[in-house]
């Protein structure tokens, strides 16, 4: 809902966003409707090169299928054949990745469609839940809701550790791998819980989300700098990532249920510090990794997903139109191009990864949806 107290968007910001969004619809979406689509397996190729040729397949991941399901489900009514593609992706999740013997979903299959990595990881299951929630919101088919329910059930029964957190990885038969909890899959689980609550009232999901956020505050927030660590705070060789700080911030600040809670308050208080340490004021570049107590990035790689998450987070910061315009220009000038996008730049701004993964449109679309809400 638009904020009546906020100044009207600057015409320059509105015009630039229209150009960037058109690039998504005219360039990026057709890449995955055409050359990025393996019609035989009904799955997206993992990555395309700069000529839009698929890289030689080594695997197909359930997570990549789910991210593209989210994209095309969200584009139903906006892009040609989006509903047909979403339906095909939903069926492929079940046909290729569902484990009929042990339940849950495999991590990956090989190029011939044979199960490859049969482990069960929380990251994959969170994205399946997230994608099914968005797809069910559009089609309201009972089968989609049944898969959504199955994902919720297996996450609660198999991954939950009883303290609000969840194991990151388990064996095919749900045997332990002693992985413990990790920040990134837990963030995407929170995102998936929010997506579920956006389409139906579910008291169990609501309680699980609140318990998860309480546990994240207790186990992952550094008590001094108030940043979200990638591993529990007591783990050795730990670090934090600006992109994930901004991604968490948006999820928390955009939710009436979570806004104002301890986790949101912590990341709100450390937002400016993360900007100062992790974002170049000149180029707008978001670095990949930071260590506590160091002013030098642990990894200065610039990744398009982190740029998109910072841009989305800025839509919820006060007095931010200048910063939003600066960052949107940075995204357009340094990462977007006529053939698609640059996935990674090195510390000097040189393209360091030439291919374009099928998982990235998810980040761009969530960013653009946040900008659209801001400009509405």
């Amino acid at each position: 809902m638009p904020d009546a107290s906020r100044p009207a968007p600057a015409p320059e910001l509105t015009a630039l966003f229209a150009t960037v969004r058109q690039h998504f619809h005219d360039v990026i979406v057709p890449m995955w409707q055409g050359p990025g689509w393996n019609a035989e397996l009904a799955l997206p190729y993992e990555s395309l090169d700069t000529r839009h040729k698929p890289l030689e397949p080594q695997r197909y991941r359930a997570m990549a299928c789910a991210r593209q399901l989210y994209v095309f489900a969200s584009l139903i009514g906006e892009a040609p054949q989006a509903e047909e593609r979403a339906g095909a992706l939903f069926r492929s999740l079940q046909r290729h990745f569902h484990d009929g013997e042990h339940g849950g979903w495999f991590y990956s299959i090989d190029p011939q469609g044979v199960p490859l990595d049969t482990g069960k990881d929380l990251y994959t299951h969170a994205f399946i839940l997230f994608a099914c929630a968005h797809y069910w919101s559009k089609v309201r088919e009972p089968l989609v809701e049944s898969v959504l329910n199955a994902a919720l059930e297996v996450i609660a029964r198999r991954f939950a550790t009883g303290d609000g957190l969840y194991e990151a990885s388990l064996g095919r038969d749900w045997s332990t791998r002693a992985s413990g909890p990790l920040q990134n899959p837990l963030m995407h689980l929170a995102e998936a819980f929010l997506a579920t609550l956006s389409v139906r009232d579910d008291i169990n999901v609501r309680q699980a989300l609140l318990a998860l956020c309480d546990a994240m505050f207790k186990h992952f927030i550094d008590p001094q700098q108030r940043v979200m660590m990638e591993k529990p705070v007591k783990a050795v060789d730990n670090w934090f990532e600006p992109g994930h700080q901004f991604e968490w911030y948006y999820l928390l600040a955009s939710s009436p249920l979570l806004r104002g809670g301890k986790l949101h308050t912590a990341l709100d208080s450390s937002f400016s510090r993360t900007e100062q340490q992790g974002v170049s004021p000149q180029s707008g570049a978001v670095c990949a990794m930071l260590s506590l107590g160091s002013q030098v990035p642990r990894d200065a790689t610039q990744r398009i997903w982190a740029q998109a998450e910072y841009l989305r987070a800025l839509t919820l910061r006060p007095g931010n139109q200048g910063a939003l315009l600066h960052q949107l220009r940075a995204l357009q000038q340094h990462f977007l191009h006529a053939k698609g996008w640059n996935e990674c730049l090195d510390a000097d701004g040189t393209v360091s990864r030439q291919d374009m993964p099928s998982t990235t449109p998810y980040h761009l679309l969530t960013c653009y949806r946040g900008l659209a809400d801001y400009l509405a």
Side-chain angles (χ1 to χ4, degrees), residues 5-54:
S5 66
R6 191 178 64 210
E12 188 176 3
L13 179 61
T14 302
L16 181 57
F17 176 57
T19 300
V20 168
R21 183 161 56 177
Q22 201 62 45
H23 173 271
F24 185 81
H25 283 274
D26 292 349
V27 177
I28 294 176
V29 172
M31 288 168 58
W32 301 102
Q33 288 175 317
W37 181 245
N38 181 332
E40 183 177 354
L41 291 177
L43 287 170
Y45 287 105
E46 287 276 315
S47 206
L48 299 178
D49 66 17
T50 54
R51 299 170 300 159
H52 293 183
K53 300 294 183 183

Side-chain angles (χ1 to χ4, degrees), residues 31 48 69 81-83 97 105-106 136 140 144 168 177 204 231 246 300 305 311 319 374:
M31 288 168 58
L48 299 178
L69 172 55
Q81 284 80 55
E83 187 165 2
F97 300 104
W105 289 265
F106 300 133
W136 185 63
R140 295 290 172 172
V144 180
R177 289 180 170 177
N204 292 329
K231 298 187 285 188
F246 300 136
W305 73 261
L311 185 56
Y374 175 85

Side-chain angles (χ1 to χ4, degrees), residues 268-329:
D268 182 64
S269 69
S270 63
F271 194 97
S272 295
R273 184 185 301 114
T274 302
E275 285 181 305
Q276 291 163 10
Q277 290 185 257
V279 182
S280 166
Q282 290 77 35
S283 67
V286 179
C287 75
M289 298 166 63
L290 295 165
S291 297
L292 289 175
S294 174
Q295 297 302 311
V296 179
R298 179 167 169 159
D299 181 351
T301 303
Q302 306 167 38
R303 294 186 169 91
I304 190 172
W305 73 261
Q307 299 292 142
E309 292 301 340
Y310 179 43
L311 185 56
R312 183 170 68 148
L314 285 173
T315 66
L316 300 180
R317 301 294 288 177
N320 56 1
Q321 284 213 29
L324 266 174
L325 183 57
H326 179 63
Q327 286 304 129
L328 188 55
R329 281 193 188 125

Side-chain angles (χ1 to χ4, degrees), residues 7-155:
E12 188 176 3
L13 179 61
T14 302
L16 181 57
F17 176 57
T19 300
V20 168
R21 183 161 56 177
Q22 201 62 45
H23 173 271
F24 185 81
H25 283 274
D26 292 349
V27 177
I28 294 176
V29 172
M31 288 168 58
W32 301 102
Q33 288 175 317
W37 181 245
N38 181 332
E40 183 177 354
L41 291 177
L43 287 170
Y45 287 105
E46 287 276 315
S47 206
L48 299 178
D49 66 17
T50 54
R51 299 170 300 159
H52 293 183
K53 300 294 183 183
L55 272 62
E56 186 67 27
Q58 304 297 314
R59 64 180 182 179
Y60 296 88
R61 290 172 295 168
M63 180 273 292
C65 179
R67 282 195 181 193
Q68 289 242 329
L69 172 55
Y70 158 74
V71 169
F72 284 102
S74 299
L75 294 175
I76 290 174
E78 299 178 29
Q81 284 80 55
E83 187 165 2
E84 292 84 348
R85 176 56 53 81
L89 287 161
F90 174 75
R91 292 188 294 274
S92 289
L93 266 180
Q94 295 300 94
R95 181 167 71 251
H96 294 301
F97 300 104
H98 185 255
D99 185 346
E101 181 179 354
H102 297 285
W105 289 265
F106 300 133
Y107 180 79
S108 65
I109 59 173
D110 72 12
Q112 287 70 49
V114 177
L116 181 61
D117 183 339
T118 59
K120 309 292 172 58
D121 78 306
L122 182 63
Y123 194 86
T124 294
H125 287 73
F127 269 107
I128 290 171
L129 176 60
F130 175 75
C132 286
H134 283 279
Y135 186 42
W136 185 63
S137 75
K138 292 296 185 77
V139 298
R140 295 290 172 172
E141 293 177 6
L143 180 58
V144 180
E145 189 178 20
S146 73
V147 174
L148 183 154
N149 289 335
L152 283 171
E153 192 271 340
V154 80
I155 288 167

